[in-house]
């Protein structure tokens, strides 16, 4: 079979563009096309639970609504993410924002109360509101539930939010669990620690494994959409270990495999650990998830591919 050369035309839809990538069929273009096709198969499979793993600054990086909508439409059965992404969701839920075009003089940014994530910026006054609100929410939750799992805590937080675009609020309303095994390593975790200076609270991370395991075994098949790597990626794959791994997975990462890092490991490596089934359908795309996943998702949801 020949490599066909892509034909790009004005006003092409995402599905048309992805189909042209598929006509080429090789390198990054071929991987993007296969990822879009596999994502569509996972969405269409009514017996497959799709777990979404999100690492890196994807919420402040413009993907908050995408993740929220996937939860709202119950495209995904669970979200596994970092405490940082939850922090940034809460920052906006409390009226804050993420900003751009402030420049790269970090010492000056610090003097002006601005924090930088690449070319994304946050303001200290937004975090001050976040801190005050979280202390109030923690007080309300732990007063009646002093011993709680991480997933249960996130769900309870969702019940205190009014922002309709919030990931956490939407997950609470739709009954989609959010797992954040590294929650302490975030501003949200820091606020939790500060709360415990004068109050009693027990955050039970082991209890999450009971509900996550039940969720895994409640589906005939498990698929994974892995954006970035790190702890969320491993937690997602490891949750399926006792059933022999995922049946299908898409990974979008910028990391490399040569150092043996999990973040850069090809998904096929997971088969050796029984974190991916023998014969599972796996696609790794190397690139920035904020650029590639919206394109892949748009094509997967369209009828033109």
């Amino acid at each position: 079979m020949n490599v066909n050369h892509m034909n790009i035309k004005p006003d092409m839809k995402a599905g048309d563009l992805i189909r042209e990538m598929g006509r080429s069929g090789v390198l990054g273009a071929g991987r993007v096309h296969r990822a879009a096709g596999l994502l569509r198969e996972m969405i269409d499979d009514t017996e497959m639970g799709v777990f979404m793993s999100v690492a890196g600054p994807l919420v402040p990086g413009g993907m908050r609504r995408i993740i929220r909508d996937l939860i709202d439409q119950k495209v995904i059965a669970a979200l596994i993410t970092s405490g940082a992404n939850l922090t940034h969701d809460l920052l906006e839920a409390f009226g804050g924002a993420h900003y751009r075009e402030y420049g790269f003089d970090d010492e000056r940014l610090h003097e002006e109360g601005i924090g930088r994530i690449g070319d994304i910026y946050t303001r200290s006054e937004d975090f001050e509101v976040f801190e005050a609100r979280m202390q109030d929410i923690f007080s309300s939750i732990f007063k009646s539930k002093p011993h709680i799992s991480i997933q249960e805590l996130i769900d309870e937080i969702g019940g205190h939010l009014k922002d309709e675009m919030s990931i956490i609020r939407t997950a609470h309303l739709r009954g989609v669990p959010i797992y954040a095994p590294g929650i302490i390593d975030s501003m949200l975790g820091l606020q939790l620690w500060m709360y415990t200076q004068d109050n009693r609270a027990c955050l039970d991370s082991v209890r999450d494994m009971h509900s996550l395991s039940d969720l895994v075994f409640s589906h005939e098949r498990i698929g994974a959409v892995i954006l970035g790597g790190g702890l969320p990626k491993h937690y997602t794959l490891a949750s399926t270990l006792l059933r022999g791994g995922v049946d299908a997975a898409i990974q979008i990462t910028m990391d490399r495999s040569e150092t043996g890092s999990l973040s850069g490991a090809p998904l096929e490596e997971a088969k050796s650990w029984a974190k991916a089934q023998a014969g599972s359908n796996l696609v790794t795309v190397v690139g920035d998830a904020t650029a590639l996943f919206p394109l892949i998702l748009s094509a997967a949801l369209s009828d033109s591919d």
Side-chain angles (χ1 to χ4, degrees), residues 148-164:
I148 195 170
S149 75
I150 297 173
Q151 184 271 316
E152 290 167 339
L153 174 63
I154 297 167
D155 182 60
E156 289 285 338
I157 292 171
H160 288 77
L161 305 179
K162 302 298 183 184
D163 178 17
E164 293 184 357

Side-chain angles (χ1 to χ4, degrees), residues 87-153:
T87 296
H88 290 284
D89 178 62
L90 289 164
L91 195 74
E92 295 205 17
F94 298 146
H98 295 90
Y99 309 92
R100 60 185 182 185
E101 299 174 1
Y102 274 69
F104 298 95
D105 186 336
D106 292 296
E107 293 183 6
R108 181 177 177 182
L109 291 172
H110 173 69
E111 292 172 357
E112 295 180 2
I114 299 173
R116 181 167 72 88
I117 311 167
D119 60 353
I120 308 161
Y121 303 87
T122 62
R123 299 193 65 86
S124 59
E125 54 258 41
D126 291 341
F127 273 104
E128 290 168 6
V129 174
F130 162 79
E131 292 166 5
R133 290 291 304 276
M134 285 313 307
Q135 290 302 313
D136 289 340
I137 291 173
F138 285 148
S139 179
S140 175
I141 293 171
F142 287 111
K143 188 176 296 183
S144 60
K145 296 182 178 180
H147 187 144
I148 195 170
S149 75
I150 297 173
Q151 184 271 316
E152 290 167 339
L153 174 63

Side-chain angles (χ1 to χ4, degrees), residues 138 142 145-148 192 195-196 199-204:
F138 285 148
F142 287 111
K145 296 182 178 180
H147 187 144
I148 195 170
L192 180 59
Y195 174 79
T196 63
N199 303 277
R200 293 189 63 183
C202 179
L203 194 59
D204 189 344

Side-chain angles (χ1 to χ4, degrees), residues 282-304:
L282 309 171
V283 179
T284 294
V285 182
V286 177
D288 183 342
T290 65
L292 292 175
F293 185 67
L295 180 64
I296 290 169
L297 177 62
S298 177
L301 296 177
S302 75
D303 294 327
S304 56

Side-chain angles (χ1 to χ4, degrees), residues 9-70:
K9 300 177 181 179
D11 302 321
M12 292 181 77
K13 294 181 179 180
D16 297 327
L17 176 60
I18 296 294
R19 182 164 57 245
E20 285 301 312
M21 292 182 176
R23 291 185 69 247
S24 165
V26 295
L27 304 178
R31 288 172 177 266
V32 167
H33 177 263
R34 291 193 293 276
L38 178 54
L39 180 58
R40 183 164 184 174
E41 289 177 13
M42 288 195 286
I43 292 171
D44 289 344
D45 187 344
T46 58
E47 295 187 330
M48 176 174 283
V50 179
F51 290 6
M52 188 173 195
S53 166
V54 176
L58 300 194
V59 170
M63 293 184 61
R64 184 184 189 228
R65 181 162 186 165
I66 291 174
I67 298 168
R68 180 263 177 202
D69 287 350
L70 290 174

